[in-house]
């Protein structure tokens, strides 16, 4: 019997305007694994925060998303700039391999202020189901809480457009209408964005002793790592063994990791090296071991997030492990899209030029970007035996060299 292979949703393009140093940048032709490479201060973390900001807008609301990052839109708007902040994302929904590829859906969000208060100035979704007929049309259109949507599984231009007022001008239409079964395309976008997982792993947080009890997904900081291992041990032991096998391949002296319950109801994570009969507490394991274990747990999630963001994986990891982590990320694209920011040449040595974007700041202080595959001479040098990380370190990229 042939197994069904699910292709996850994929972002193909994102355009950002007026968001901090990202005054006007477009990333078109994003791959299932996309890596941003650049020196400190080039805008990598800001790009990463775009996804976190959008996810916060959908799950917590516009005002709270802005409040987590400052005291108003002025703290998010590009310096010496005025006007709205906008994001445009073009993506395809998930589908079964072998079936017709879903049409490209574009989502646009524009945020501005009225009387000092943030508002959703414009928000729309559009698509074109038939590539050969007509222009894309908007099946959701909203401005400041007022607008309309075409309901149904396959909204067409000729279908009935329904006017629906939102609770206020700062409410996202997709957040509200995406809760209604009658809007499956809007619902799919809402679920896609709210299910993004963006990690800022902290070795210190992972060394803590949390309250007992299994948890299905790793937190952003990794402070519930032991709880997730407990969940995998109870519900997905085969998947946990895959994780341990990968860990042993990368760090051969590690034999296993054991969640050990305490009389207080808390959990203690024990790491056992192969030569010894007993394990040691995770707080005594190396930072690199803990971070690699957390990344493997994240990448082998039995219920994976559709998009996973990893920021600067090189922190605390041995350079040799970075190439191997990149290989694990490549494998994880079978079920998730991955966005990684880094300034490590070792991580990109395992990648193709089309997977890597170099970014830097121009003379005006704003971020500029180039896909490495579009840079003159790079592929020729790779064909001659060079590796991508060395070319970057030696200054062969057109922008973003260290």
């Amino acid at each position: 019997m042939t197994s069904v292979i699910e292709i996850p949703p994929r972002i193909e393009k994102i355009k950002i305007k007026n968001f901090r140093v990202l005054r006007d940048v477009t990333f078109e032709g994003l791959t299932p694994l996309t890596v941003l490479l650049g020196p400190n201060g080039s805008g990598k973390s800001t790009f990463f925060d775009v996804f976190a900001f959008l996810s916060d807008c959908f799950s917590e609301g516009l005002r709270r998303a802005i409040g987590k990052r400052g005291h108003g839109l002025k703290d998010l708007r590009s310096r010496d700039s005025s006007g709205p902040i906008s994001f445009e994302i073009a993506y395809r929904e998930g589908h079964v391999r072998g079936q017709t590829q879903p049409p490209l859906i574009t989502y646009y969000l524009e945020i501005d202020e009225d009387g000092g208060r943030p508002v959703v100035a414009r928000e729309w979704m559009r698509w074109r189901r038939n590539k050969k007929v007509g222009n894309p049309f908007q099946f959701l259109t909203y401005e400041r809480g007022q607008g309309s949507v075409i309901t149904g599984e396959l909204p067409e231009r000729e279908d009935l457009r329904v006017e629906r007022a939102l609770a206020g001008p700062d409410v996202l239409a997709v957040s509200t209408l995406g809760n209604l079964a009658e809007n499956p395309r809007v619902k799919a976008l809402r679920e896609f964005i709210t299910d993004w997982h963006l990690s800022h792993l902290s070795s210190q947080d992972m060394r803590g002793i949390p309250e007992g009890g299994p948890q299905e997904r790793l937190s952003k900081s990794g402070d519930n790592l032991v709880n997730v291992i407990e969940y995998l041990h109870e519900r997905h032991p085969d998947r946990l063994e895959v994780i341990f096998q990968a860990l042993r391949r990368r760090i051969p002296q590690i034999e296993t990791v054991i969640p050990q319950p305490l009389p207080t109801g808390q959990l203690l994570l024990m790491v056992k090296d192969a030569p010894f009969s007993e394990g040691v507490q995770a707080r005594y394991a190396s930072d690199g071991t803990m971070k690699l274990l957390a990344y493997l747990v994240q990448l082998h999630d039995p219920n994976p997030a559709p998009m996973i963001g990893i920021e600067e994986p090189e922190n605390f990891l041995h350079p040799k492990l970075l190439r191997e982590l990149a290989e694990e990320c490549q494998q994880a694209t079978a079920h998730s899209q991955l966005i990684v920011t880094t300034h490590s040449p070792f991580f990109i040595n395992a990648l193709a030029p089309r997977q890597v974007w170099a970014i830097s700041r121009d003379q005006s202080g704003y971020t500029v970007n180039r896909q490495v595959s579009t840079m003159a001479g790079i592929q020729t040098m790779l064909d001659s035996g060079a590796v991508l990380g060395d070319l970057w370190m030696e200054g062969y990229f057109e922008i973003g060299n260290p």
Side-chain angles (χ1 to χ4, degrees):
M1 182 178 179
T2 304
S3 60
V4 175
I5 300 176
E6 296 281 349
I7 305 297
R10 304 286 197 200
I11 299 172
E12 296 187 3
K13 173 184 174 181
I14 182 165
K15 186 173 185 178
I16 306 151
K17 286 191 174 183
N18 227 9
F19 187 77
R20 292 179 169 163
V21 296
L22 306 179
R23 189 178 187 183
D24 188 1
V25 295
T26 300
F27 293 82
E28 189 166 8
L30 296 180
T31 49
L33 171 59
T34 294
V35 177
L36 267 68
L37 179 74
N40 289 328
S42 57
K44 299 187 305 297
S45 294
T46 303
F47 179 79
F48 196 83
D49 191 49
V50 166
F51 296 94
F53 177 72
L54 290 172
S55 183
D56 288 343
C57 284
F58 275 65
S59 58
E60 303 180 35
L62 177 61
R63 290 193 182 186
R64 175 139 177 89
I66 294 173
K68 290 170 68 172
R69 293 162 175 80
H71 299 289
L73 219 59
K74 60 181 177 59
D75 292 331
L76 298 184
R77 188 181 286 118
S78 298
R79 282 182 289 181
D80 298 331
S81 298
S82 59
I85 298 170
S86 67
F87 310 94
E88 184 177 315
I89 296 177
Y91 83 109
R92 298 183 193 274
E93 295 179 358
H95 65 287
V96 175
R97 178 173 292 175
Q99 293 184 353
T100 303
Q101 188 180 44
L104 193 69
I105 297 176
T106 302
Y107 172 66
Y108 178 82
L109 174 64
E110 181 180 296
I111 302 166
D112 209 344
E113 290 178 308
D114 280 348
R117 295 185 175 184
V119 297
V120 180
R122 294 176 63 206
E123 185 180 14
W124 49 257
M125 292 180 67
R126 72 183 183 197
W127 73 345
R128 182 178 61 191
R129 290 185 55 211
N130 190 325
K131 296 181 180 181
K132 298 181 181 180
V133 179
N135 297 317
F137 78 98
Q138 295 180 13
F139 56 89
L140 180 145
T141 306
Y142 271 81
E143 293 186 10
R144 290 171 165 78
Q146 302 294 323
S148 62
V149 62
I150 296 177
T151 62
E153 183 73 28
L154 301 173
E156 295 280 10
R157 191 186 305 273
E158 299 80 10
D159 292 340
L160 178 65
R161 187 174 290 273
V162 180
E163 301 280 342
R164 291 186 184 275
L166 305 178
D170 61 339
V171 177
L172 275 71
V174 171
S175 291
T176 299
L177 303 178
N179 285 311
L180 304 177
E182 64 190 28
N183 302 310
R185 302 284 68 74
V186 183
K187 185 173 184 288
L189 174 63
R190 181 183 182 278
E191 291 176 348
F192 175 48
I193 293 181
T194 55
D195 206 25
W196 289 347
H197 185 78
L198 307 167
S199 66
H200 303 269
L201 295 181
S202 165
S203 297
Q204 182 177 357
D205 288 345
M206 286 187 285
R207 295 178 189 280
I209 305 176
E211 294 296 326
Q215 296 180 24
E216 293 187 25
R217 181 166 291 175
L218 198 66
S219 66
K220 291 181 180 180
S221 69
D223 61 353
N224 66 338
L225 177 61
V226 61
N227 304 91
V228 178
I229 290 176
E230 181 186 17
Y231 166 76
L232 294 172
H233 177 72
E234 293 180 359
R235 302 290 298 274
H236 299 277
D238 293 343
R239 184 60 59 92
L240 186 59
E241 180 55 31
V242 169
I243 293 170
F244 288 157
Q245 288 176 3
L247 185 66
R248 288 192 290 266
R249 284 197 306 272
R250 310 311 183 187
I251 308 178
Q253 67 267 28
I254 298 295
E255 182 176 292
T256 189
V257 180
I258 307 165
Q260 180 175 306
L262 298 176
T264 59
Q266 295 175 300
L267 281 172
L268 190 65
L269 195 61
M270 305 293 292
V271 179
K272 183 180 180 301
D273 290 346
F276 303 105
S277 58
E278 295 183 358
V280 299
Q281 295 182 27
R283 69 179 68 184
Y284 302 122
S286 72
D287 289 334
T289 296
M290 297 302 295
K291 285 201 72 175
L292 183 58
L293 173 61
Y295 284 133
L296 291 172
V297 166
Q298 188 177 58
L299 296 174
H300 291 274
D301 190 333
N303 183 29
M307 199 276 281
I308 297 173
I310 298 176
E311 188 170 23
E312 297 184 355
E314 62 268 19
N315 295 334
F316 301 110
L317 283 184
H318 189 280
K320 179 183 177 182
L321 291 177
L322 288 170
R323 183 184 183 107
E324 296 177 345
L325 177 60
E327 293 170 354
E328 293 285 346
C329 290
Q330 296 272 34
Q331 295 174 20
T333 60
H335 53 68
S336 301
Q337 185 169 19
L338 274 76
I339 305 289
V340 181
T341 65
T342 185
H343 42 67
S344 168
F346 302 102
F347 188 87
I348 67 167
N349 279 341
L351 307 179
R354 65 187 179 85
Q355 295 177 296
V356 182
W357 290 76
I359 67 173
S360 63
R361 302 269 286 273
D362 61 14
Q363 292 183 347
S364 66
Y366 299 114
T367 296
V368 292
N369 62 311
R370 284 288 302 276
Q371 198 169 16
V372 173
S373 59
T374 67
M375 296 181 182
I378 295 297
Q379 189 58 56
T380 300
M381 287 184 280
L382 293 175
D383 292 341
S384 299
V387 292
L388 212 53
D390 288 349
L391 294 179
W392 178 63
M393 291 295 290
E394 293 169 10
Y396 284 99
F397 287 5
E398 294 177 13
I399 67 167
N401 290 302

